Structures are given as C-alpha cells and as structure tokens.
Amino acid sequence: METESGNQEKVMEEESTEKKKEVEKKKRSRVKQVLADIAKQVDFWFGDANLHKDRFLREQIEKSRDGYVDISLLVSFNKMKKLTTDGKLIARALRSSAVVELDLEGTRIRRKKPLGERPKDEDERTVYVELLPKNVNHSWIERVFGKCGNVVYISIPHYKSTGDPKGFAFVEFETKEQAAKAIEFLNNPPEEAPRKPGIFPKTVKNKPIPALRVVGEYFSIFK
C-alpha cells in the first residue's frame, strides 16, 4: 500500500511539474510576443513614413538637442498603453531595433539615422481604399495589402463622435515598383478567391483614378 501511495504521489508531482513548465512556457511566449509588438510599433512611429506625417512626434524630437525623447512619452500613447506601461520592458524590446537606439541609462530613445527630406512620390505610392469592413483595423489592411507589397504607412480616419472607422483608408507602399507590382496582382486575382463588394481606387496625382474591386482578400482593377 505504501508503495502504491508513493507511486501516486510521484505521478502527481510529475504532473504538477509538467503543468508548471507549460505555464512558464506560455508566459515566455506571451512576453516574447509583447516585446515584438512593442518593437514593431516604435519602429513604425520613428520610421520615415510615419515621422514625415507625425508633426507632434517630430516636434518632440526637434526640441531635444541630441534627438532623444523620453520613453515615458511613448507610454502616454494609447497604442503603447494597450501593450505595456512598463518603461523597462519597452527599453528591453528596443535593444536590437534597427530604427532607434537607447541612451546609456536606457530611459530615452532616438533615431539611428537623421530624418531626410519628405519623398515627392508619396502620391504615386499611395492607394486610397474605400468601402472597407465596419470593423477594419491596421492589421486587416496590412494583412490584405501585404500580399501586394511592403506596406509602410496606413491611415484609417475615424469619426470623432463614435470612434468608428469612416469606411476608407490610405495605404502607402515602400516603392513605386511595389505599387506597380500590386496593380499587376490586383489585375489577376486567383479564380478561387471569394467574391465580396468593395472599391479600391488608386490615387495618382494628375491622372485618372482607376476603380479597384475587392475580391475577398484579393483585388481586381477595372480601368
């Protein structure tokens, strides 16, 4: 009986140990994802595409003699609040960033490279998107348009009264070549793509705007 009881205790201890290991594994996985999300968000904020348009953040950088801004400023942003309010965790996430660098104390960050002149071809690299889903967000836009090229900037206007999306957005690609590749892809959606309504006109300065129709997560263009 003692041997049987001892075996049961051993089994229970092993099961408890396995559960603890699984919990720790999930915890590490969540932390790893949060760190990746923080780095992605900050790299976007301080990236060329956003910083040329973000007057507030640009002014904060210009106020500083050495280009650094305090991490506490990032914590005040709503999108960062959803991820974390821990400045040390933010600093940890940015240690290997290719866009920003930390100061010696790990409390401030700045761009690694100076911000150049605003590109003159933004219009040619930007797609105006309308008739979007009511619950559209940046992730949906990035996932859908990521099939067409490298999306560097997304703007989804919202109603001030309700906070709901207005149903249209602006999507900027990294290069004109990628935008051209996107148009080629949009012209030839897979036959198995599900059919859903939507119009995606591309903004090209001083040129007629073609209409694009959503085909599920693929698109076709009609000139």
Side-chain angles (χ1 to χ4, degrees), residues 5-22:
S5 177
N7 288 337
Q8 289 179 345
E9 289 180 1
K10 185 177 181 180
V11 170
M12 291 177 65
E13 288 178 1
E14 290 177 349
E15 290 179 349
S16 178
T17 300
E18 287 299 319
K19 288 181 179 180
K20 288 181 179 178
K21 288 182 179 179
E22 187 64 26

Side-chain angles (χ1 to χ4, degrees), residues 64 115 138 156 197 211:
S64 172
L115 182 65
H138 285 71
I156 305 176

Side-chain angles (χ1 to χ4, degrees), residues 1 38-41 60 98 109 111 146 166 168 199 211 217:
M1 292 293 292
I38 291 171
K40 181 179 180 180
Q41 185 61 62
Q60 301 308 305
I109 63 171
R111 279 175 56 99
K166 291 186 176 181
F168 65 91
I199 299 175
E217 290 190 359

Side-chain angles (χ1 to χ4, degrees), residues 2 18 34 37 68 89 127 132 136 156 161 173 194 205 209:
E2 292 183 1
E18 287 299 319
V34 170
D37 290 342
Y68 281 105
L89 188 65
V127 177
L132 295 173
V136 67
I156 305 176
S161 58
F173 289 97
K205 191 174 182 180
I209 301 177

